[in-house]
Each structure stands twice: as C-alpha cells, then as structure tokens.
Amino acid sequence: MTFNTLRALATGAVISLVSAGSALAVECIAPANPGGGWDFTCRQVGKILYDLKLVDQPVQVTNMAGGGGGLAFNYVVTERNTDPDLIVAASSATSTRLAQKAYGDAKADQVRFVGAIGADPGVIVVAADSPYKTLTDLVEAIKADPGSVAFAGGSAAGGFDHMKPLMILKAAGFTDITKVKYIGVDGGADAITQTVGGFTQAMTGDMSEIVGFLKSGEVRALAVLSEERVPGFEDIPTAKEQGYDVVAVNWRGFYVPGGITDEQFATWADRLRAVADSDEWKKAMADNGLAPFTKVGPDFQNWVNDVIAQTEELSREIGVIQ
C-alpha cells in the first residue's frame, strides 16, 4: 500500500470520524478493529487514565484499521502532527513493520514513541525430552552445525518470532544467520506442536503461548527474553543472565505525534508511568497475561530506535528487505 493511498484512506477516515461527533479532550487511536491487543491497550489504559484523574474527560477510543497500522500512522503524521491530546496504541508489530518498510515511505522518527507499560515476553522453548538443557547448549549446537536446529514460530519468515533467535545468535557472535532454519506456522500453539512432535528442535514465541504447555510438562523454556524473570515463572532464566544481551518482548505501549513539544511529550510519559504504577494496571496485566515492562519518555524512544535499527539490519541479512 503506497503512502498516497494510505493518506487518502486516512483523510476519508477522519471525515467520517468528525461527522460522527466532536472529539473529547484526549483520543486514543487503536490501529485495528475492536478486539485484539491495540484495542485492549487503548481501552484499558484510557479507562485508568480517567479513573486516576490524569485526564479531565473520558478518553475517546477510535478504531482505525488498515495497512497493519500504516493507515493510522500516516494519518497521525499528515493530519495530527502537533496534537498534544492524541495517543496511538503500538506494539512490537509497529516497530517491526517500520523497520521492514511495511508502511511505505513512513519513518519511525515521524512520531515519538512515548512509553511501554507491559509486555508479553519472548521465549525460546524446546521439548521436555530435548538434549538441549540450556540456551548455551542450543546456541553452541547451531554454531557447530547451523542445519542441526530448526525453529518453529507463529509469525511468517522475517516476522518478530523469526527475529528472536537471530538476535540471540548475533549476540553470541554467530554471523551466518541465513543458515538458521525457521518454519513459520499459524500461531504459537502450532509452533509448539511442531517442536513437541520432533519436527523442529526449538520454538520461538511469546510467554502467553507456552503457559499451558509448561504446566503440562510438554516443554522446557530455555530462556525468557525480558529484562527480569517473569513473576510466577521465576525458574525460567533470562537470556541476559545467560550471557546474551537480548530483550525481545511484545510490548504494549503508545506513540504520540512527532510535532508535539518536549514538555507535552514529558507530560504523556508521566501519565503513562502513573498508570504503570497503579494497582488497576497491575490487575489488568495479571488478568491478561502481561508481564511488567515499563519504559517511558526518552528511555523508551532510544530503546525503540535501537530495536528498529537491529530489526532492519537482520531483515536485510535474511532478505526480507533490500
């Protein structure tokens, strides 16, 4: 989808939104239809923002599906670039698509990534009877014979699940990542089935996808790709503590228009930190299988910039982009 097509669609979308009624003080755009992660992020965080009196009026949620988030992104850039009362739900899918030029000519620095306040951590998993007992066992096996290990994941080749083991291997000094085998299947459950069945030697996915399989004893998690161990699953070591400086989480957060002031950006960062620290958000995370992951303000912006650069480099190496 081209930039001009997205812009035309966005203009049509805003006309229909304006005609439906005047906007409230703060608006949160969910770049997808109702249901799903972006919609959940807008509605749950929007409710808590108002409940905590961090905003004066209830937050209006606008669903703007299209282009995998590209429609909303280009609408914000072209129509709402200086609006301090607008936030947009985002996730790891947003940064991956920007890195892989899935939004046409759009660039990450056209908006400002203001905060993440929860995440579904990435994991590397093997079958319970696998000979690989640690992440280092798996990494060393691949370094010795790249063809000996195939990963199954719930995203297509070049997607976020594919990137996770490649990031670990790069951190381990392995450079020939085009030789790493990856099989994209339809979701995390299918990826685990492939691994438990012996069709692949490892699974790459998210924590929420493996909880039931962990409890049934079918799989062993070699690493969680979060900053710290996940509450309730403290027996799973992080990749970082095993010597691989990789954090790969499906974060839930927001960006804001690129043209707002530093002071307005800081106000949104403070609001999101207050939500992250609230009992209401902690309960929402527990109810929905999210782990704590709080990065706000410049710290988050810098982290996203690094993730996008790394994803772009990996995507070029495996041929997803030129």
Side-chain angles (χ1 to χ4, degrees):
M1 188 175 289
T2 67
F3 177 83
N4 287 334
T5 301
L6 285 166
R7 182 169 184 170
L9 287 170
T11 302
V14 71
I15 290 171
S16 66
L17 290 170
V18 170
S19 65
S22 60
L24 295 172
V26 168
E27 179 183 2
C28 184
I29 293 178
N33 291 320
W38 285 335
D39 186 65
F40 163 84
T41 303
C42 267
R43 294 183 190 280
Q44 193 67 55
V45 173
K47 179 181 185 303
I48 295 173
L49 282 168
Y50 183 62
D51 289 348
L52 297 179
K53 305 305 179 191
L54 296 166
V55 294
D56 295 334
Q57 301 176 60
V59 174
Q60 174 185 317
V61 176
T62 301
N63 292 95
M64 190 180 289
L71 175 61
F73 190 94
N74 283 287
Y75 165 63
V76 172
V77 170
T78 58
E79 307 290 340
R80 304 280 291 276
N81 183 53
T82 59
D83 190 343
D85 296 317
L86 177 67
I87 55 175
V88 186
S91 66
S92 298
T94 312
S95 54
T96 299
R97 285 167 184 157
L98 283 165
Q100 296 178 344
K101 316 301 183 196
Y103 295 166
D105 295 331
K107 293 180 173 58
D109 62 7
Q110 292 176 294
V111 301
R112 303 182 74 173
F113 286 86
V114 69
I117 60 171
D120 199 352
V123 288
I124 302 295
V125 171
V126 295
D129 60 356
S130 170
Y132 306 117
K133 306 299 184 187
T134 68
L135 184 59
T136 296
D137 289 345
L138 188 67
V139 167
E140 292 303 320
I142 295 169
K143 290 169 78 171
D145 179 7
S148 66
V149 173
F151 291 89
S155 71
F160 192 47
D161 284 342
H162 189 183
M163 293 294 164
K164 293 167 190 171
L166 300 185
M167 291 164 71
I168 291 168
L169 287 161
K170 291 272 283 189
F174 182 77
T175 56
D176 202 0
I177 60 172
T178 56
K179 290 186 177 178
V180 178
K181 292 183 177 178
Y182 175 81
I183 299 170
V185 294
D186 190 16
D190 285 356
I192 290 178
T193 300
Q194 291 282 321
T195 302
V196 171
F199 299 103
T200 61
Q201 288 68 51
M203 176 264 187
T204 163
D206 293 331
M207 188 74 203
S208 63
E209 297 170 328
I210 70 165
V211 171
F213 297 93
L214 280 174
K215 291 180 177 177
S216 67
E218 293 175 85
V219 298
R220 179 169 63 251
L222 300 184
V224 60
L225 309 183
S226 50
E227 297 274 8
E228 300 175 0
R229 295 194 183 200
V230 176
F233 299 90
E234 286 87 357
D235 57 327
I236 305 174
T238 66
K240 289 185 74 169
E241 67 187 82
Q242 297 179 75
Y244 308 96
D245 190 9
V246 173
V247 173
V249 297
N250 190 8
W251 51 267
R252 305 285 183 97
F254 301 91
Y255 62 82
V256 291
I260 68 172
T261 67
D262 289 346
E263 183 179 4
Q264 291 163 341
F265 180 78
T267 295
W268 272 115
D270 291 343
R271 287 170 175 166
L272 292 179
R273 185 175 292 283
V275 171
D277 290 341
S278 70
D279 290 338
E280 291 89 339
W281 178 245
K282 288 169 184 171
K283 182 179 187 303
M285 284 197 297
D287 290 346
N288 291 276
L290 295 180
F293 183 76
T294 304
K295 285 183 183 292
V296 298
D299 180 41
F300 181 58
Q301 179 71 70
N302 293 336
W303 183 79
V304 170
N305 291 344
D306 289 344
V307 167
I308 289 174
Q310 189 174 22
T311 303
E312 185 173 349
E313 180 186 349
L314 283 171
S315 298
R316 289 187 192 285
E317 288 188 37
I318 61 176
V320 175
I321 57 176
Q322 300 303 310

